[in-house]
Amino acid sequence: MFEPVIAPSGTLLGLLQRGRGDGTLHALAAPRAEALAALNHCVLHDPRQDWQVENRSLYYARLCLDLDGPLGEIEDHLFSADDLLDDSDTRTGLALSVLGHLASYGRDDALMLLRRYAASGANWAWALDELALRDDDAGLRALAGPVLAHFPATPEGEARLAAAVRDAYEPRPWSLWEALPEYGARLRAAREQGSFSRWQRQLTADGPRPGWSVEAVFEWAAEGLRRGTPLHVPAARCLAAVATAEDRPRILAAAAGAAGEAARATALHHLVLAEPENPAVLDLIEAAGDEPAIAAYRRMTGPSAVDRARIWAQRPDALGEAAATLLADHGGPEDATLVLSALRSTVRAAGPDSLSLFPLVDGAGRLSIGCAAPVLRHIYRETASSHLRGRAARALAATDPCFAAGFAVECLWDCEESTREVAAHHAETADARVADRLRRLAADPAEEEEVQSAVRNRMAPGAERAM
């Protein structure tokens, strides 16, 4: 999958792609045709950096409702010729999720479209999961024939059916179909085969065995590295179970590189937990300086690791980045300058979407670094990651006295429920839009419980006087 092309943050398309609350507000104020064009572009060309963790579907569905948007472009996208060539979740998953939310809001056209796609589309499993949450029993039973037609009555087809039943995210349709006389025997056999396959995999799992020695653990880690599957983290857990006091010199030698790369990484990951206050372990990490060593250092949280981080945080390399992250997570007020410096330099060097910013943004909020507010505002506006923007919003709530009357208001329309929750706690009700939005969130059955709880607390009698 290609990286999505994100429009500038000052444009309507850019705001909607980012899932910002201002995207909805600007879309409702824009000409309807322009707003619908931008909305459809987002739904049909998923703008998320990581579609598995970032939310957009409810955000786009709500805007579609507000605009009374037609579903013709989504229909054309789902049933285009590309569907025959590309069955990946990334092509159709967002559109199907938007249809699912629209169906839950009572849009019958969305429900019908989901049924059609579940019957004949390449990504039918996703559509079926959406319907499992929203369709009635009769509608789901009608899909039994079309869905089961994907699995021919051959050994390969039965194996794929068993896997589909076993791995189904929502089991309700399969349970309904199993109760139908014409499909019951086949689906019961598929379910039993899926359960047997899972049990068989557990019995034949390759991995540590009782009685292993330190050398056996190191060899297991080395074998994983030869296969291209690093195993030093689970191997370190095994090492903790089998190592004795007599093995310590051997483990220290391995951590220094005497037994190869895999053994060194395994030994370092073991030592950072077994001897977290041993300065020699930190010296070994500094001497190695590679990714496994730095990954081991990231697992340390004790006073010695924090003290060493104050020295390493000024390094312009990956170890310096890890040290700054440690200070952001576990440092004290005296570390605010180092965390702020790392935050600024990371934005300058890597831009507002860098994964390294996540802990630094959190740290700026945890340490209440007021001077960080300008760079946090920049990250909030520019990042394409809705998760990072939500973290920036939480940090701004702790550092920026203007947050309640500024970004907190638009956050009530944000695509991430955690960001809406922050806004529900902080948004200034002097803005006429806030009270109405809080009431809508409180009454929306699709809204998350945490958001509605924050709204109820905010709207409780006497809550405003207590603020």
Side-chain angles (χ1 to χ4, degrees), residues 18 52 102 177 195 253 298 329 456:
R18 288 168 172 80
Q52 293 179 307
L102 289 173
W177 301 341
S195 299
R298 291 183 187 277
D329 290 339
R456 286 193 294 269

Side-chain angles (χ1 to χ4, degrees), residues 1 4 46-57 88-94 97 123 126 386-387 416:
M1 177 184 175
D46 194 336
R48 292 171 291 183
Q49 289 189 332
D50 187 342
W51 64 271
Q52 293 179 307
V53 298
E54 292 190 41
N55 297 312
R56 291 291 189 282
S57 54
S88 65
D89 292 342
T90 54
R91 196 189 81 83
T92 55
L94 179 57
S97 295
N123 196 10
W126 191 309
S386 54
H387 272 195
E416 298 290 344

Side-chain angles (χ1 to χ4, degrees), residues 336-406:
T337 300
L338 289 172
V339 173
L340 177 59
S341 176
L343 179 66
R344 288 171 170 167
S345 61
T346 301
V347 171
R348 284 195 299 266
D353 295 323
S354 171
L355 294 177
S356 302
L357 287 173
F358 282 70
L360 297 174
V361 166
D362 290 344
R366 184 181 71 84
L367 298 172
S368 299
I369 307 175
C371 294
V375 69
L376 290 172
R377 292 190 206 108
H378 172 76
I379 294 169
Y380 178 96
R381 291 189 189 96
E382 298 300 329
T383 183
S385 167
S386 54
H387 272 195
L388 181 54
R389 182 177 64 253
R391 290 175 184 242
R394 287 190 288 276
L396 284 167
T399 60
D400 186 1
C402 299
F403 176 72

Side-chain angles (χ1 to χ4, degrees), residues 234-458:
R237 292 195 293 267
C238 296
L239 203 58
V242 306
T244 64
E246 290 74 22
D247 294 313
R248 185 173 181 274
R250 187 179 298 108
I251 294 172
L252 287 172
E261 182 181 352
R264 178 171 58 79
T266 300
L268 284 174
H269 276 77
H270 166 73
L271 288 170
V272 298
L273 298 181
E275 303 180 21
E277 295 303 310
N278 184 353
V281 175
L282 291 164
D283 293 338
L284 288 169
I285 289 172
E286 185 174 21
D290 59 2
E291 190 277 329
I294 294 169
Y297 176 63
R298 291 183 187 277
R299 306 178 76 188
M300 303 181 75
T301 59
S304 294
V306 172
D307 287 341
R308 192 68 66 95
R310 294 182 176 121
I311 300 172
W312 290 347
Q314 301 180 55
R315 294 173 55 133
D317 57 10
L319 186 56
E321 177 188 317
T325 296
L326 182 61
L327 293 178
D329 290 339
H330 302 286
E334 67 273 24
D335 301 311
T337 300
L338 289 172
V339 173
L340 177 59
S341 176
L343 179 66
R344 288 171 170 167
S345 61
T346 301
V347 171
R348 284 195 299 266
D353 295 323
S354 171
L355 294 177
S356 302
L357 287 173
F358 282 70
L360 297 174
V361 166
D362 290 344
R366 184 181 71 84
L367 298 172
S368 299
I369 307 175
C371 294
V375 69
L376 290 172
R377 292 190 206 108
H378 172 76
I379 294 169
Y380 178 96
R381 291 189 189 96
E382 298 300 329
T383 183
S385 167
S386 54
H387 272 195
L388 181 54
R389 182 177 64 253
R391 290 175 184 242
R394 287 190 288 276
L396 284 167
T399 60
D400 186 1
C402 299
F403 176 72
F407 287 140
V409 175
E410 74 155 282
C411 284
L412 289 170
W413 285 264
D414 197 87
C415 67
E416 298 290 344
E417 63 266 19
S418 58
T419 307
R420 296 194 297 274
E421 182 183 356
V422 171
H425 285 296
H426 294 279
E428 175 57 65
T429 53
D431 189 313
R433 299 169 296 178
V434 171
D436 178 66
R437 182 60 176 174
L438 290 175
R439 284 191 290 269
R440 289 190 63 178
L441 292 176
D444 191 336
E447 189 51 80
E448 296 292 331
E449 172 58 30
E450 291 80 3
V451 178
Q452 293 191 324
S453 178
V455 171
R456 286 193 294 269
N457 291 338
R458 192 69 185 279

